[in-house]
Every structure is written in structure tokens, then in C-alpha cells.
Amino acid sequence: MNCEETLDNQTEQAIYSSVQNASNKKSINTIIGILQMICGVVALSTGIGLIFQRDNLSTISATGIWSSVFFFIYGSLSIGTARNSTSCLVICNIVMSIFSAISAGVL
């Protein structure tokens, strides 16, 4: 084996590794997006259920409903980032994940 063959093999392995890491990131973003959408459905249904209770503070602020909006937006952005990863989508994904975490803490 000469030096060029070794470099070619290392280059092929590096390319394969980067492609495999990119596909793992896509699947992780998709899974996180789906989980956020499920959290949005749960928060929305809980918020709607709490509206019908009379003696509850969350009836006034409707935290379940506005929190579900952030969950849905973040889940959609996460799935969109998994499909088409542009710098704008990645930045939006990071910002919305912060808002989603804050709304989950309030919820």
C-alpha cells in the first residue's frame, strides 16, 4: 500500500462518516419534532379541558393553549430543519427551542 491509497481510504472513510452523522442528525431532528408535536397536542387538550373548570387560574391565562402554539411551531421547524437544513432554519430552530422550553416551564 502506498501513501496515495492510504489517503484515498481515509478520505472515503471521512466522507462516509460525515454522511452518516448528517443522517443521524436528520433522524434526531425528526424524532424531536414529532415529540414536540405530541407535547403540543397534550398541552392543547389539557388547556381546553381546564377552560371548563371554574376555579382555576389557568382559565384566565390559557397557558395550555399558548404553550401548545410554541410546541407546534417548534415541532414544525424541527421537522423542516431535518428535511432542508439551511442556516436560517437552524437559527430559527434554536430560538424556538428556547421559547418552547420557557413555555414548558410555565406550563
Side-chain angles (χ1 to χ4, degrees):
M1 232 184 197
N2 61 18
C3 185
E4 290 178 11
E5 290 178 3
T6 305
L7 287 176
D8 288 339
N9 288 338
Q10 289 176 350
T11 304
E12 288 176 11
Q13 289 175 355
I15 291 172
Y16 177 74
S17 175
S18 66
V19 168
Q20 190 175 16
N21 286 339
S23 67
N24 286 342
K25 288 179 185 177
K26 287 181 181 182
S27 64
I28 289 171
N29 277 339
T30 305
I31 291 170
I32 289 174
I34 291 170
L35 288 175
Q36 287 289 328
M37 298 289 259
I38 291 171
C39 288
V41 169
V42 170
L44 182 65
S45 61
T46 305
I48 290 173
L50 288 176
I51 286 176
F52 296 111
Q53 289 185 347
R54 297 284 183 207
D55 300 328
N56 198 347
L57 181 63
S58 66
T59 304
I60 298 169
S61 62
T63 56
I65 295 173
W66 63 262
S67 293
S68 68
V69 170
F70 286 118
F71 287 132
F72 286 132
I73 292 172
Y74 175 63
S76 301
L77 276 175
S78 184
I79 292 172
T81 304
R83 292 186 180 181
N84 185 12
S85 182
T86 63
S87 62
C88 181
L89 278 177
V90 171
I91 292 170
C92 290
N93 195 5
I94 292 170
V95 170
M96 283 308 297
S97 70
I98 293 169
F99 286 142
S100 179
I102 291 170
S103 68
V106 171
L107 185 62

